[in-house]
Amino acid sequence: MDMAVAKEARMAASILRLHFHDCFVQGCDASLLLDDTPTFTGEKTANPNRNSIRGLEVIDGIKEKLESACPGIVSCADILAVAARDAVILDGGPYWDVPLGRKDSRTASLDEANNNIPTPNSTLYTLLKKFLLQDLSPTDLVALSGAHTIGQARCTSFRDRIYNGNGGIDSDNAYMSVLKGICPPSGGDNNLSPLDSVSPVLFDNAYYRNIVNGQGLLTSDQELSMHGSITSEIVQRYAGDPLAFWQQFSDSMVKMGNIVNPLTFITGEVRNNCRFVNE
């Protein structure tokens, strides 16, 4: 995976995002990786995933090498969890021990993918509710959102924020001018902007400093610092203490990575190919 990240710095964030989007649907069971077939509908065409999930070929490559060395041992769900940790390390972030033993699901849920995964325009209330649904606390929400200290977002993800006053950037703000140059009112849907304009390929706490300054790229980012909210104090703390962010991010990643559907341990498997269930 280090070669993939060296070739394209954005890939680290893409791998990390795969793990997030997987765990919020049926738990961390690699259901996101399943391709559609004539008789099976997966999660890749859900609104939060369609035309936006990336890095699938990287996971395929890791799986192929593992199957050659030790067939039938390492699940695709475990690969996602370890790859997410390693992606953070490759961008200068913290190490944490990844609990293993996940099974791969033989099912997927397009409906849950459309409803459970937070969207870029989510309000704070919606974010808190969707994280609580996964038994993740407001502290987990703020810490895990710090993943946006790396990576990029498409124009379609932040257009509302800059043109509809959704999340509030001052109209004369220099950051607003930069974003409008990247993302016009119409067209240019796939134009990209760094989620963290200060250090977009370094896993640091600049994301929180940006939010404090009103320069979170997504509405869902800026909502975290809403005045008087349950999350604003946490944002302030991480903005001033990078080690506190790293520690909580590591703890919250383990907590999120432990979201499982107990039935998966009974009905799940170790897939031979991450894109298809075993015959």
Side-chain angles (χ1 to χ4, degrees):
M1 191 177 73
D2 53 345
M3 293 179 62
V5 173
K7 182 178 179 181
E8 183 189 4
R10 184 188 176 197
M11 188 56 68
S14 297
I15 297 296
L16 181 55
R17 186 168 180 258
L18 285 177
H19 185 44
F20 275 88
H21 282 219
D22 179 47
C23 290
F24 268 69
V25 181
Q26 300 188 165
C28 308
D29 62 358
S31 58
L32 172 62
L33 302 180
L34 290 169
D35 280 352
D36 288 358
T37 72
T39 59
F40 178 87
T41 301
E43 299 163 13
K44 291 177 179 176
T45 58
N47 291 330
N49 297 328
R50 187 174 58 249
N51 300 322
S52 68
I53 55 170
R54 306 173 71 253
L56 299 169
E57 296 79 7
V58 176
I59 302 302
D60 289 339
I62 295 171
K63 179 62 174 176
E64 184 177 350
K65 290 181 179 179
L66 284 169
E67 285 300 302
S68 296
C70 47
I73 302 298
V74 184
S75 69
C76 300
D78 275 354
I79 291 173
L80 280 178
V82 174
R85 189 271 314 276
D86 291 354
V88 169
I89 293 172
L90 287 170
D91 272 3
Y95 170 92
W96 63 90
D97 291 325
V98 179
L100 301 175
R102 299 167 187 80
K103 290 290 187 69
D104 297 326
S105 173
R106 293 180 58 85
T107 65
S109 177
L110 183 65
D111 182 64
E112 285 189 31
N114 276 321
N115 289 288
N116 290 7
I117 300 172
T119 66
N121 293 320
S122 293
T123 64
L124 180 58
Y125 173 78
T126 298
L127 291 169
L128 290 167
K129 183 171 67 173
K130 290 190 175 185
F131 271 69
L132 183 60
L133 182 66
Q134 307 298 336
D135 198 27
L136 296 171
S137 70
T139 298
D140 295 319
L141 164 61
V142 178
L144 292 172
S145 296
H148 287 177
T149 191
I150 57 174
Q152 301 182 67
R154 296 188 303 152
C155 170
T156 52
S157 297
F158 58 89
R159 179 177 280 128
D160 280 353
R161 174 146 159 72
I162 59 177
Y163 291 107
N164 296 335
N166 194 358
I169 306 176
D170 293 338
S171 59
D172 60 349
N173 191 305
Y175 184 53
M176 171 74 90
S177 299
V178 170
L179 294 182
K180 286 186 173 180
I182 296 170
C183 183
S186 62
D189 287 358
N190 292 320
N191 293 352
L192 298 171
S193 174
L195 286 157
D196 170 3
S197 60
V198 174
S199 50
V201 294
L202 181 62
F203 201 93
D204 58 12
N205 68 330
Y207 166 81
Y208 298 103
R209 297 197 303 271
N210 294 342
I211 291 174
V212 170
N213 293 328
Q215 295 185 357
L217 179 65
L218 308 179
T219 296
S220 58
D221 295 328
Q222 199 60 48
E223 284 278 301
L224 298 177
S225 68
M226 183 185 299
H227 181 69
S229 68
I230 193 173
T231 55
S232 60
E233 183 178 336
I234 306 171
V235 169
Q236 291 281 350
R237 181 162 73 250
Y238 296 160
D241 189 344
L243 292 182
F245 161 51
W246 272 22
Q247 181 60 62
Q248 187 58 56
F249 183 83
S250 300
D251 291 346
S252 295
M253 284 294 290
V254 171
K255 185 176 178 182
M256 184 188 74
N258 285 337
I259 300 172
V260 294
N261 181 345
L263 289 177
T264 303
F265 287 111
I266 302 172
T267 62
E269 61 187 11
V270 174
R271 289 185 210 135
N272 302 320
N273 183 324
C274 290
R275 293 176 181 263
F276 304 100
V277 300
N278 297 341
E279 294 297 332

